Every structure is written in C-alpha cells, then in structure tokens.
Amino acid sequence: MECRLDGQVAVVTGGSSGIGRGIAQLFAQAGAAVVVNYRGSRDGAEEAVREIEAAGGKAIAVKADVSQQAEVEAMFAAAVEHFGAVDILVANSGIQKDAAFTELTLEDWQQVIDTNLTGQFLCAQAAVRQFRRQGERGVSRARGKILCMSSVHEVIPWAGHTNYAASKGGISLLMKSLAQEVAEEGIRVNAIAPGAIRTAINADATEGDAARDLLRLIPYGRIGVVEDVARVALFLASDMGDYVVGATLFVDGGMTLYPGFRDNG
Ligand code: BGC
C-alpha cells in the first residue's frame, strides 16, 4: 500500500519555496490538486505550479498573507472555486527575524507571531469551517486533515530567536487543543517539527564552516533535505497515517535527543 492523495485538494501555505514547495510537489505526485500559496514570491509559486503541471499534476498559485483573515478566506474561496473542495491544509508559512533579546523590536516580535502562529490559527479555522461545509466527500477516511508546521524549537529553547521559539511553542498546544476539539468530527490535526533542513531560511547555518558546527547537534550526521519532511507530511496526510491524531512528528536526525550528552554529558 502506498501513500496516495488521489481526488483530494491540498492547500499548502508558503508553497513557493523551501519545505512548502517540496510538500506541494510531492502531494501533487501523490494525486492531490494543490493550491500553492505565496505572499511575496510569485515567481517561485508560478514555477512550482509549472513543474507540477509538467509532471501531469494539477495546481494553482494563490497569493495571500496568512496573517490577514480576509486574505485567508479569499484563498480558501479560490481553492473551492477552482477545485471544488479542500481536504488537506498544510499550514507551513513561517519566517524568522532573529535578534538578541534586548535588540528585538516589537515589530519583529509581532511579525513572527503574526505569520507563524496567528497565520496557522486563521488557516486552520478556515479549513475546519470548509471541512464542515462540504461534509463527507468519500476521498479519504478522515473528513479533513490539517498539518501544522512546527519546529524542533517547539521544545528546544533558542537564544537569539525568542520570537520564533515562542511562535513554535505556541503551535504545539494550538495543534493539540484543536486536534482534541475536532477529532470527533473525523478531522485529524497533527504537526511536523523539522530540525535543520537545507532551505533559504537557514542558508547561513547550513553552508561552509557553520555546517560543521551544526552537524555536532545532529546525531544522525547529516543536514536534512526538503524531501525528508515532505515524505512525512505525505504519510500524515494520507490514509496510511489515519490513526495519528494530535501528534507532533520530529523530523530532525535526532536533534531533540540532547546530543551534548553523547559523550557522557
Ligand atoms: C529553523 C532553522 C534551524 C532549525 C534547527 C528551524 O525551525 O527555521 O533555521 O536551522 O530549526 O535549529
């Protein structure tokens, strides 16, 4: 048995680059029609759509800032208008605005919370409302699936990144509380917590000398790639993961295993 998403519609926020783009591509290969959401990177989103279509899949690019309720609602309306339904939300959009604590501006605190936490709240709310509206579609055992993109920093404190860590810590209990609230309706909510995955968000930390330092934090001995996360997302979104409810799956090469204790602490 394979992980398939035939006949399903997936909205992937932040689908124009990085992990989101990898998920959009893999979901399309697995048979889903994909809404590739973007905020700034129209070229990236359109390129992702072209690649999906060239491989025989279905996709559209939809612009929306996930922190703006009206834009999120318009994105879901566009998805339904184009593909008739929404079966899967991957709430993936995320940003970093790093600064030492006393240098962190209120604006940079707010922007990260707005995109990473409030954005997932708004998208998940729109998704649950849409799942209820459309009822059983017979394309999956669950009535709807939501994947929240968390991070190892939902549990690993991260000096110099208090806004980002706070947003991901928030995702942990947003996800679990929502999962508990809607599971009886057949809606599955889960999260993925990636470790260091080679994308634009952490290019500085994953190249050159910095990569050697980073590897000390990864027992499995390699920096992750987008496909490592996309495959887990596909498993969770498909019926192969049907009994997984309210779980955070860490995809981190062991980064959360306290690697500093490997040599007897
Ligand atoms: C961050 C990356 C970082 C990784 C591990 C991710 O959530 O976005 O920048 O490399 O966590 O620290």
Side-chain angles (χ1 to χ4, degrees):
M1 193 177 167
E2 271 182 276
C3 294
R4 297 291 310 174
L5 301 174
D6 299 291
Q8 299 186 51
V9 182
V11 172
V12 182
T13 69
S16 56
S17 67
I19 290 173
R21 183 154 165 180
I23 291 176
Q25 261 150 356
L26 192 63
F27 278 24
Q29 277 172 36
V34 182
V35 173
V36 179
N37 157 257
Y38 67 97
R39 183 184 55 174
S41 169
R42 186 192 185 122
D43 290 352
E46 285 177 350
E47 202 179 272
V49 168
R50 275 197 301 275
E51 280 173 18
I52 288 171
E53 287 176 343
K58 281 191 232 153
I60 53 167
V62 177
K63 180 178 164 74
D65 177 342
V66 294
S67 70
Q68 302 300 315
Q69 191 162 30
E71 295 186 34
V72 169
E73 282 166 6
M75 170 174 69
F76 274 78
V80 173
E81 193 190 11
H82 212 86
F83 293 127
V86 175
D87 305 289
I88 302 162
L89 164 68
V90 183
N92 163 78
S93 295
I95 55 170
Q96 276 182 228
K97 299 254 174 192
D98 311 329
F101 188 63
T102 49
E103 308 305 317
L104 182 58
T105 61
L106 176 58
E107 196 190 347
D108 283 356
W109 167 269
Q110 199 68 58
Q111 266 191 32
V112 168
I113 298 294
D114 283 354
T115 300
N116 298 12
L117 185 57
T118 309
Q120 293 206 25
F121 156 67
L122 289 172
C123 290
Q125 192 176 57
V128 171
R129 287 178 178 155
Q130 179 57 31
F131 297 157
R132 287 182 181 154
R133 213 175 289 137
Q134 70 198 23
E136 287 289 344
R137 295 202 332 113
V139 289
S140 165
R141 294 180 74 177
R143 175 191 259 219
K145 287 139 315 184
I146 295 175
L147 287 183
C148 297
M149 196 54 66
S150 185
S151 161
V152 289
H153 298 296
E154 75 164 49
V155 293
I156 302 179
W158 204 12
H161 305 76
T162 47
N163 48 357
Y164 184 85
S167 74
K168 297 301 184 178
I171 287 299
S172 169
L173 277 175
L174 164 63
M175 183 281 287
K176 288 188 171 72
S177 303
L178 174 59
Q180 191 191 59
E181 191 166 329
V182 299
E184 67 188 19
E185 297 177 65
I187 299 171
R188 289 197 296 115
V189 186
N190 290 289
I192 298 178
I197 308 297
R198 228 180 261 285
T199 66
I201 208 170
N202 61 14
D204 291 351
T206 54
E207 310 292 342
D209 284 353
R212 202 193 45 230
D213 293 342
L214 183 60
L215 281 172
R216 288 200 206 106
L217 300 175
I218 308 173
Y220 199 51
R222 73 169 170 87
I223 293 167
V225 291
V226 159
E227 292 72 25
D228 290 316
V229 181
R231 283 191 285 265
V232 173
L234 176 57
F235 163 74
L236 285 173
S238 78
D239 281 354
M240 291 286 266
D242 190 54
Y243 208 50
V244 187
V245 175
T248 298
L249 254 163
F250 286 80
V251 184
D252 67 352
M255 197 177 229
T256 35
L257 296 174
Y258 296 95
F261 281 77
R262 267 183 294 188
D263 302 317
N264 212 17

